[in-house]
């Protein structure tokens, strides 16, 4: 019985795709660009209302002023005994840049030659619209879900802000999670990213005129330029990066993907002084089987060993500040990594759901970028990235997505939600 309702609904997606694109047009029209961010309130209210109309209990709560998360739940009819599912997506979109380079207005949906154009069509209002439409069709048809269905619409993903992290800190949990971020309907895990600040600080500030006495024989002043000492640490970071490149690897990543980028340097105060402070902002990529704590610890250990071998740095070792909850507020971010658990029942169910609609198995692999999925996986929830849209179009001028792919994605998710949320946690129907 349920199977025939589901295939009927999947047929409905084709016939009612005008509604899907009308919904996408409404989401695109909210200019939720980040940075500058703090502009998602109206969009999130709209989404919250949509979920309420479809039987969800919702909460809208502030992460930053003007940037609330929406967390929602549709309680299952036998929620204690049946599998629950978390759907996650971000409402913010990448910067538009010079909008005169866009052929179409970025915040107005344009459908042309089988593609939907507008900021966020690929990353990831297309995914959000598709999930919302799937939920609507299931609700309208009165399809029973025995397990809980959770929906999190978050802020801040584009600016490394802790929208999804804040959801996890609130304690929401589920038996499986799908992050509908841009993956062209491949099932993906990801490597991780952490940013950090390495700071060298001299306890004394010397005038430029003291330099001769600091660097020449018999000068008698034990001082140093923080900039010159940082150069030594930068060389050390390159050595560690090369060491990682030859000693670490992970299937699905080109060798050497685990980079340490010296992205920003700030130091010195004026040409009349010896630089007494220098800070280096680094971006570190690591593999799915590593966590950010251990990677940060490796870097600290390596740089402190270099400092031990330098008479001045030994007494004035570098200090470290890792990560942060926002690139905008704190100049720091963390995206934890995510491994794919190919043995997990949820992943197998999603593969089957994809295959039923598409006729072929989904591609499985590793995202070349990072998403919020790492925070959900880190909270102990089996998680995958699986969403419509292509990364080549995300963040790009004239961003677009394939209309048929969006329709297909809705179909897969209708089948998958109805299947998974009606499975017993014991593994029987
Ligand atoms: Zn995204």
């Amino acid at each position: 019985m349920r199977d025939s309702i589901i295939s009927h609904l999947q047929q409905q997606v084709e016939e009612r795709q005008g509604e899907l694109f009308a919904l996408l047009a409404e989401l695109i029209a909210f200019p939720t660009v980040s940075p500058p961010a703090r502009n998602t309130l109206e969009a999130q209210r709209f989404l919250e209302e949509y979920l309420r109309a479809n039987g969800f209990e919702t909460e809208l709560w502030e992460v930053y002023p003007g940037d609330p998360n929406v967390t929602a739940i549709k309680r299952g009819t036998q929620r204690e005994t049946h599998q629950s599912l978390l759907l996650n997506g971000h409402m913010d979109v990448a910067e538009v840049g010079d909008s005169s380079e866009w052929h179409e207005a970025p915040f107005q949906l344009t459908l042309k030659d089988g593609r939907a154009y507008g900021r966020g069509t690929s990353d990831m209002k297309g995914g959000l619209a598709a999930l919302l439409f799937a939920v609507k069709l299931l609700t309208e048809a009165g399809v029973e879900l025995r397990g809980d269905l959770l929906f999190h619409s978050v802020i801040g993903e584009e600016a490394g802000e802790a929208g999804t992290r804040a959801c996890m800190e609130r304690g929401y949990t589920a038996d499986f999670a799908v992050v509908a971020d841009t993956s062209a309907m491949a099932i993906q895990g990801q490597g991780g990213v952490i940013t950090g600040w390495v700071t060298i600080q001299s306890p004394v500030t010397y005038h430029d005129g003291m330099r001769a006495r600091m660097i020449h024989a018999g000068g008698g002043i034990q001082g140093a330029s923080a900039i010159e000492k940082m150069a030594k640490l930068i060389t050390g970071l390159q050595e560690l990066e090369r060491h990682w490149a030859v000693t670490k690897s992970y299937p699905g990543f080109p060798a050497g993907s685990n980079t340490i980028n010296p992205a920003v340097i700030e130091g010195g105060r004026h040409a009349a002084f010896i630089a007494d402070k220098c800070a280096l902002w680094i971006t570190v990529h690591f593999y799915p089987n590593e966590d950010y704590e251990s990677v940060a610890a490796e870097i600290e250990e390596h740089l402190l060993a270099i400092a031990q071998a330098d008479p001045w740095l030994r007494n004035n070792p570098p200090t470290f500040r890792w990560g942060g909850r926002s690139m905008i507020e704190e100049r720091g971010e963390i995206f934890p990594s995510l491994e794919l658990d190919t043995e997990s029942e949820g992943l197998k169910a999603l593969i089957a759901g994809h295959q039923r609609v598409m006729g072929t198995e989904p591609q499985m692999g590793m995202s070349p970028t990072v998403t919020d999925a790492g925070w959900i996986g880190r909270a102990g929830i089996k998680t995958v990235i699986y969403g419509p849209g292509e990364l080549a179009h995300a963040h790009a001028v004239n961003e677009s997505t394939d209309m048929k792919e969006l329709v297909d994605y809705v179909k897969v998710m209708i089948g998958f939600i109805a299947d998974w949320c009606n499975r017993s946690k014991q593994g029987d129907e």
Side-chain angles (χ1 to χ4, degrees), residues 120-201:
T121 45
S122 261
D123 183 16
M124 58 160 287
K125 286 175 171 171
L128 276 177
L131 292 178
L132 290 171
F133 194 51
V135 159
K136 178 182 176 154
L137 291 184
L138 284 165
T139 306
E140 270 186 8
V143 175
E144 181 188 18
L145 301 181
R146 294 178 189 155
D148 288 342
L149 180 60
L150 287 78
F151 199 117
H152 289 178
S153 175
V154 304
I155 59 90
E157 199 270 350
E158 297 292 353
E161 297 196 302
T164 293
R165 182 181 185 176
C167 290
M168 294 300 107
E169 286 167 352
R170 280 192 150 206
Y172 300 111
T173 191
D175 298 306
F176 190 68
V178 174
V179 175
D181 218 335
T182 320
S183 81
M185 291 179 75
I187 296 178
Q188 294 178 330
Q190 68 181 30
V193 170
I194 184 167
T195 61
W197 285 90
V198 181
T199 302
I200 294 174
Q201 173 81 60

Side-chain angles (χ1 to χ4, degrees), residues 23-31 106-109 118-121 125:
L23 174 59
L24 178 57
E26 294 208 67
L27 293 181
I28 297 287
F30 295 105
F107 301 108
Q108 186 184 316
L109 187 73
R119 176 51 94 222
T121 45
K125 286 175 171 171

